[in-house]
Amino acid sequence: MKNITILLLLLFPLFLLAQVDLQYQTPHKDISVLADASPAPWMRINAKGTKAVLLYRQAYKSIEELSETEMRLAGLRINPKTNISSRARYRYDIKVFDMATKQEEAVSGLPKNARMTNWTWSADQKYMAFTNTVSTGVELWVLDIDQKKAARLTDAVVSANMNSAISWLDAQTILYTKLPANRKPLIDNTTSVPTGPTISVNDGGKKAQNRTYQDLLKNPVDEDNFIQLATSEIWKINLSGEEKKWMEADMYTEIDVSPDGKNVMVEIIKKPFSYLVPYYRFPSSVTIYDINAKKVKTVLEVPLIEDLPKGFMARRTGPRNLNWRSDQPATLFWAEALDGGDPKNDVPFRDAIYQLEAPFNQTKKLLTKTKLRYSGIEWGTDEVAISYDYWWNTRMLRTSIFNPSDANEEPIVFNERNYQDRYSDPGDFVTKKNKYGISTLEVDGNTLHLLGDGYSDDGKLPFVDKYNYKTGKIERIYQAKADEMLESLVSAVDMKAGKVLTRLESKNKFPNYYFRNLKTGRLTAVTSFKNPFEAIQDVHKEVITYKRADGLDLSATLYLPVGYDKEKKEKMPMLMWAYPREFKDKSSAGQVTSSPNEFTYPWYGSPIFWVNRGYVVLDDAAFPIVGEGDDKPNDTFREQLVANAKAAIDAVDNMGYIDRTKVGVGGHSYGAFMTANLLSHCDLFAAGIARSGAYNRTLTPFGFQSEERNYWEAPEVYNTMSPFMHAEKMKTPLLLVHGQADNNSGTYPMQSERYFNALKGLGATVRLVMFPKESHGYAAKESIMHMLWEQDQWLEKYVKNKGKEALEP
């Protein structure tokens, strides 16, 4: 007994060391000076390019705000007290910006301690509706752009739990979802007494191979609470605040007003619910109503979707993607699968597009068919529209011009390409607001215009093309020149006058907006936002290119530490950050889409902070995983990961900047998965940082990332790619970080917890940091600052001071 007591006393300190009781920390001042910078406002510009609304936000939420009550039901996260998403991102201030005078003007009447979101222009863009969240709920507000005045239209009675909280019925009237007067109290699931077990059944042997969704319904109490939170009434209110009930309570998910404002498409959720899939795969119906809420026709009934054919291109049968044609008063259009929704079926056309005009009592009319899976339509006129269809397995994208008035007319294939091939991207067609206030193609006779990014081996050189769809002739009317400023064409303001809105930036000049005259090339400054990150504005930045051992072209953005002397070439520690991406051809995988002239913009998950701490930073290092032809990328995932990493380190080492024994690697989500794999299967790194990752792929057995095969079809792939299965090989210090409320499919917090336990049990150097209340991406300032502190401490000890004495983090 005495010996056992002594043994317990000896072991007791070890148990104490297993858990670290630590309050939120703040990173080194060289990091916090960047992390604390105020973000620039979000700019919402009207179609004429005359006015803009500037929406200001705080850089982060607070942990107190993130700790407000949250219910997780059917894929939703809702604050049941305020009746809005518990993860909503808010803006705290609004200003109106005059594009001609370049003046920001304050808005009067704004709510105090504002938490604003759900921004929606009126069709004439004279007003912008939005919601404001207070402690008791959500209010409806409206901003008068010309008067620069905000006014509250309702008390805190808006139900913003589902998608369509606000819809403009006309320029003076809004439909909004309101909390029902007779809503029942919610049930506390933690204290309610069960009336029986929860039972799930699969009669008839149906296959339901779904991803590992989170926040699903789990029991009848969840179902009852979901019904209460999803249920709302629809009310109609004008800008004077006069309102009346428009429709009785139901579980509304979409409210979509026709372009002419005379019909409203309403979608509701129905029973039975599911414990396997989120709410958007529950049964639903879509009904058309007139503006007086009189039913016109139920146009769609969708059953519960728990099972689909296998593959990313699988779709349910029947009408889907139901929408209004933007170029007509009230015409519905939709897609229907011609292959039974099953990608394995070999058919000449995958989808058909149909339409049905008001009053919706005719036979549906065929518009066109797509050879690949329908992706979307841009409407222009009765004779011109553009359809998009794609096929994930081949990465193929087709853009076709068709005549909506004649389904027998052969569509013109404008472009057919691998959508990962950025160099051949023809750009986006120019649109303008039509008489309904909706964007449609700008068609001038037989001419369309396109704005493109212009990526090539020479860099990013945006362009404007003029395209005659009858002759097929393309004329380039503008192309940016390669210089120290990076240009991004934002929108066409007036194509006849040759006026576009563009954005210019450089690595040390904050992005600002300009009007460009395409005919003269002249620039007129619009905004003058200041650089909030002056501490690193002179840091050396370049895009480097290099080759993998198999000859594949790779690239990355290289930053040298602040104040680094390139002549002396002192060998510094390096932090490499990356995210693997799958490709079907090597040419697309080797393209360079980064620019040294892009503004250096630190964000909370960025590695850029460490240029201020004496590190070389290699950001966005290319980590392509290529599987050409019938080969699957993941069949050689590990080998390609290591080859990518070695090529990157070799490239920077050959430049003479780094001590290759002091290189750290990190990544978020799939980048965390990459990091754990690299540390398990090579000795290139001194330490690693893995945030919000998945490490055991057998826990996501029906596919993950770009892997379509299930575990039982390719067990060797799942096992080979899972760092958890190779935990005994881990010899490199690894920092694991995860949000305890991660809602991402596949990256359950348990993934990091189980991986940590495995590594700890096998004697690896590992630290697990779990952030309360945080989701897949982190939001609270306290969490983010502490995360930066953790990463800095880890890198200082295991990378910069590798082999030396250092303080415990």
Side-chain angles (χ1 to χ4, degrees):
M1 183 68 181
K2 181 179 178 182
N3 291 337
I4 293 175
T5 302
I6 293 172
L7 179 61
L8 288 174
L9 288 172
L10 289 171
L11 289 175
F12 187 62
L14 298 179
F15 293 135
L16 286 179
L17 289 173
Q19 290 300 126
V20 180
D21 185 12
L22 190 67
Q23 294 185 336
Y24 290 111
Q25 299 293 304
T26 337
H28 192 279
K29 60 182 178 59
D30 290 341
I31 292 177
S32 61
V33 70
L34 298 172
D36 262 338
S38 298
W42 180 27
M43 196 169 185
R44 298 285 300 270
I45 304 168
N46 67 9
K48 295 180 180 179
T50 56
K51 298 275 188 178
V53 177
L54 302 180
L55 306 173
Y56 290 82
R57 68 177 176 88
Q58 302 288 354
Y60 314 108
K61 288 189 171 188
S62 69
I63 193 64
E64 181 181 7
E65 188 177 4
L66 208 61
S67 299
E68 292 177 355
T69 307
E70 179 178 78
M71 298 187 76
R72 305 172 189 174
L73 300 168
L76 293 169
R77 293 188 168 187
I78 294 170
N79 183 327
K81 188 175 181 181
T82 56
N83 290 288
I84 193 170
S85 168
S86 53
R87 303 284 162 165
R89 298 281 182 160
Y90 296 114
R91 304 279 161 164
Y92 71 90
D93 193 15
I94 308 174
K95 291 183 180 178
V96 174
F97 184 81
D98 189 298
M99 304 285 277
T101 64
K102 308 177 186 61
Q103 295 297 312
E104 293 183 23
E105 298 185 74
V107 171
S108 64
L110 286 173
K112 294 181 179 179
N113 303 315
R115 295 200 293 172
M116 302 175 286
T117 188
N118 290 314
W119 312 95
T120 308
W121 286 104
S122 61
D124 58 10
Q125 296 193 322
K126 292 182 178 180
Y127 301 96
M128 182 177 280
F130 60 94
T131 62
N132 179 55
T133 302
V134 296
S135 61
T136 56
V138 177
E139 306 164 335
L140 174 60
W141 285 67
V142 67
L143 167 67
D144 184 320
I145 306 295
D146 289 335
Q147 297 298 317
K148 297 174 283 295
K149 183 177 181 180
R152 189 181 69 178
L153 294 182
T154 74
D155 293 329
V157 296
V158 177
S159 174
N161 293 331
M162 307 305 284
N163 295 334
S164 296
I166 305 171
S167 301
W168 286 91
L169 186 60
D170 56 47
Q172 296 289 315
T173 313
I174 297 171
L175 294 178
Y176 76 96
T177 47
K178 186 175 183 178
L179 299 173
N182 60 347
R183 189 166 90 169
K184 298 177 183 177
L186 299 174
I187 305 170
D188 186 345
N189 214 341
T190 61
T191 60
S192 61
V193 178
T195 58
T198 299
I199 299 172
S200 299
V201 177
N202 186 33
D203 288 329
K206 276 189 175 182
K207 292 183 179 180
Q209 300 187 10
N210 295 301
R211 291 284 174 115
T212 47
Y213 296 113
Q214 301 201 48
D215 302 339
L216 300 178
L217 301 180
K218 297 179 179 65
N219 51 53
V221 172
D222 280 353
E223 292 191 49
D224 288 341
N225 285 336
F226 174 74
I227 290 171
Q228 299 308 313
L229 291 170
T231 300
S232 62
E233 300 167 348
I234 304 177
W235 283 63
K236 181 168 67 172
I237 189 169
N238 64 26
L239 298 186
S240 300
E242 299 169 343
E243 66 174 345
K244 69 175 182 177
K245 185 187 293 185
W246 193 76
M247 194 166 289
E248 295 295 335
D250 214 324
M251 290 186 286
Y252 301 108
T253 58
E254 293 287 349
I255 302 168
D256 193 0
V257 181
S258 63
D260 65 0
K262 296 181 179 179
N263 291 273
V264 183
M265 179 166 55
V266 176
E267 180 181 32
I268 62 169
I269 292 175
K270 304 168 74 173
K271 287 189 171 184
F273 299 150
S274 171
Y275 295 179
L276 290 178
V277 294
Y279 78 94
Y280 51 81
R281 290 175 65 173
F282 290 178
S284 63
S285 67
V286 177
T287 301
I288 307 299
Y289 296 88
D290 66 16
I291 57 173
N292 297 313
K294 180 180 178 182
K295 180 179 177 180
V296 178
K297 184 178 182 179
T298 296
V299 292
L300 182 60
E301 294 278 1
V302 181
L304 175 65
I305 311 168
E306 282 190 341
D307 56 298
L308 284 171
K310 182 187 166 189
F312 292 159
M313 301 313 299
R315 297 292 184 270
R316 65 172 176 81
T317 56
R320 68 177 199 278
N321 301 103
L322 197 64
N323 282 293
W324 296 109
R325 274 187 62 166
S326 54
D327 63 327
Q328 293 196 356
T331 298
L332 294 171
F333 75 99
W334 64 90
E336 291 187 32
L338 298 176
D339 57 2
D342 193 339
K344 77 173 186 296
N345 293 332
D346 188 12
V347 294
F349 295 96
R350 292 287 176 182
D351 284 324
I353 314 302
Y354 297 97
Q355 75 171 30
L356 186 64
E357 299 178 22
F360 318 107
N361 54 11
Q362 316 97 324
T363 303
K364 65 183 181 182
K365 175 186 174 183
L366 176 67
L367 294 177
T368 188
K369 295 179 181 180
T370 61
K371 291 185 179 294
L372 308 177
R373 189 65 76 205
Y374 165 77
S375 179
I377 290 179
E378 287 188 276
W379 298 100
T381 68
D382 288 339
E383 288 78 34
V384 181
I386 297 171
S387 70
Y388 300 91
D389 53 310
Y390 78 109
W391 202 248
W392 178 87
N393 306 73
T394 58
R395 311 300 197 270
M396 187 59 66
L397 172 67
R398 286 167 50 92
T399 304
S400 303
I401 299 170
F402 71 98
N403 183 347
S405 300
D406 187 357
N408 294 317
E409 185 175 314
E410 187 71 19
I412 301 167
V413 178
F414 168 70
N415 186 264
E416 187 171 22
R417 67 184 180 91
N418 181 326
Y419 60 74
Q420 292 180 316
D421 179 5
R422 299 293 299 278
Y423 287 7
S424 65
D425 188 342
D428 298 320
F429 287 96
V430 169
T431 62
K432 66 175 182 179
K433 296 285 186 182
N434 62 13
K435 63 181 179 181
Y436 306 117
I438 304 174
S439 292
T440 54
L441 292 170
E442 183 172 357
V443 184
D444 183 7
N446 298 330
T447 298
L448 302 169
H449 287 91
L450 299 104
L451 305 183
D453 288 329
Y455 286 110
S456 71
D457 287 331
D458 297 324
K460 182 185 178 185
L461 304 174
F463 62 84
V464 180
D465 280 351
K466 181 178 180 180
Y467 170 61
N468 186 311
Y469 68 88
K470 289 290 187 181
T471 65
K473 181 182 177 182
I474 297 178
E475 177 187 354
R476 183 142 299 178
I477 59 177
Y478 172 76
Q479 177 125 36
K481 296 178 181 178
D483 56 26
E484 294 183 358
M485 296 293 285
L486 179 68
E487 182 168 9
S488 301
L489 297 174
V490 178
S491 63
V493 178
D494 185 343
M495 286 309 299
K496 289 185 178 179
K499 184 179 182 181
V500 297
L501 182 70
T502 192
R503 189 181 69 189
L504 293 176
E505 62 190 285
S506 74
K507 60 187 177 184
N508 54 15
K509 291 184 179 178
F510 195 79
N512 273 289
Y513 292 92
Y514 299 78
F515 287 129
R516 181 180 287 282
N517 186 313
L518 299 177
K519 297 177 180 179
T520 65
R522 182 185 173 192
L523 284 171
T524 303
V526 176
T527 63
S528 54
F529 299 132
K530 297 187 182 303
N531 181 3
F533 306 109
E534 292 182 350
I536 58 170
Q537 72 173 9
D538 295 323
V539 70
H540 175 82
K541 175 182 181 179
E542 63 178 303
V543 173
I544 63 171
T545 56
Y546 47 96
K547 288 186 181 294
R548 204 164 73 176
D550 61 358
L552 181 64
D553 291 323
L554 301 176
S555 64
T557 304
L558 175 71
Y559 300 85
L560 298 182
V562 171
Y564 183 80
D565 189 334
K566 291 181 68 179
E567 297 299 321
K568 292 182 179 179
K569 283 197 174 180
E570 181 183 355
K571 293 187 179 296
M572 308 298 290
M574 183 171 83
L575 173 60
M576 181 169 72
W577 209 262
Y579 189 96
R581 289 177 171 82
E582 296 84 354
F583 291 86
K584 287 302 292 178
D585 70 280
K586 290 182 177 179
S587 61
S588 297
Q591 292 180 353
V592 180
T593 55
S594 299
S595 170
N597 296 328
E598 185 177 2
F599 178 72
T600 303
Y601 199 120
W603 58 287
Y604 88 84
S606 168
I608 305 301
F609 299 103
W610 278 271
V611 299
N612 233 17
R613 295 284 285 142
Y615 291 78
V616 172
V617 171
L618 195 67
D619 193 19
D620 199 21
F623 265 70
I625 309 297
V626 183
E628 294 189 303
D630 294 332
D631 293 337
K632 304 293 185 183
N634 285 343
D635 291 344
T636 53
F637 179 84
R638 274 178 18 194
E639 295 86 345
Q640 293 193 62
L641 273 190
V642 174
N644 291 330
K646 185 177 185 305
I649 294 173
D650 286 347
V652 186
D653 187 28
N654 290 337
M655 299 171 80
Y657 296 139
I658 62 168
D659 177 348
R660 67 178 300 141
T661 69
K662 295 183 177 181
V663 178
V665 63
H668 188 93
S669 193
Y670 210 53
F673 177 67
M674 169 205 75
T675 297
N677 265 301
L678 285 171
L679 299 192
S680 299
H681 302 294
C682 73
D683 58 1
L684 296 168
F685 299 99
I689 300 168
R691 294 197 315 245
S692 300
Y695 310 102
N696 183 352
R697 285 306 174 189
T698 68
L699 299 179
T700 55
F702 291 111
F704 59 89
Q705 202 72 4
S706 294
E707 180 56 64
E708 281 191 307
R709 296 167 293 185
N710 66 42
Y711 171 76
W712 296 272
E713 292 172 318
E716 69 288 348
V717 171
Y718 280 69
N719 287 310
T720 300
M721 290 180 67
S722 295
F724 182 88
M725 304 302 182
H726 306 277
E728 81 286 357
K729 299 176 183 176
M730 179 64 74
K731 308 300 179 189
T732 307
L734 176 63
L735 173 63
L736 292 167
V737 181
H738 216 120
Q740 289 183 348
D742 193 332
N743 66 334
N744 186 54
S745 174
T747 56
Y748 283 84
M750 178 180 67
Q751 288 272 2
S752 287
E753 293 166 345
R754 295 294 183 265
Y755 189 40
F756 170 79
N757 288 338
L759 293 173
K760 179 184 175 184
L762 293 166
T765 300
V766 62
R767 180 180 176 93
L768 173 63
V769 181
M770 302 292 292
F771 285 116
K773 311 297 181 179
E774 294 292 354
S775 187
H776 191 61
Y778 314 145
K781 181 175 182 178
E782 294 86 346
S783 304
I784 290 166
M785 292 299 178
H786 186 92
M787 178 201 76
L788 294 171
W789 178 83
E790 289 279 359
Q791 292 181 175
D792 189 49
Q793 295 289 310
W794 197 257
L795 293 169
E796 288 291 293
K797 179 174 182 178
Y798 293 111
V799 178
K800 182 184 288 185
N801 294 296
K802 180 183 178 182
K804 298 179 183 179
E805 290 289 329
L807 293 175
E808 286 288 340

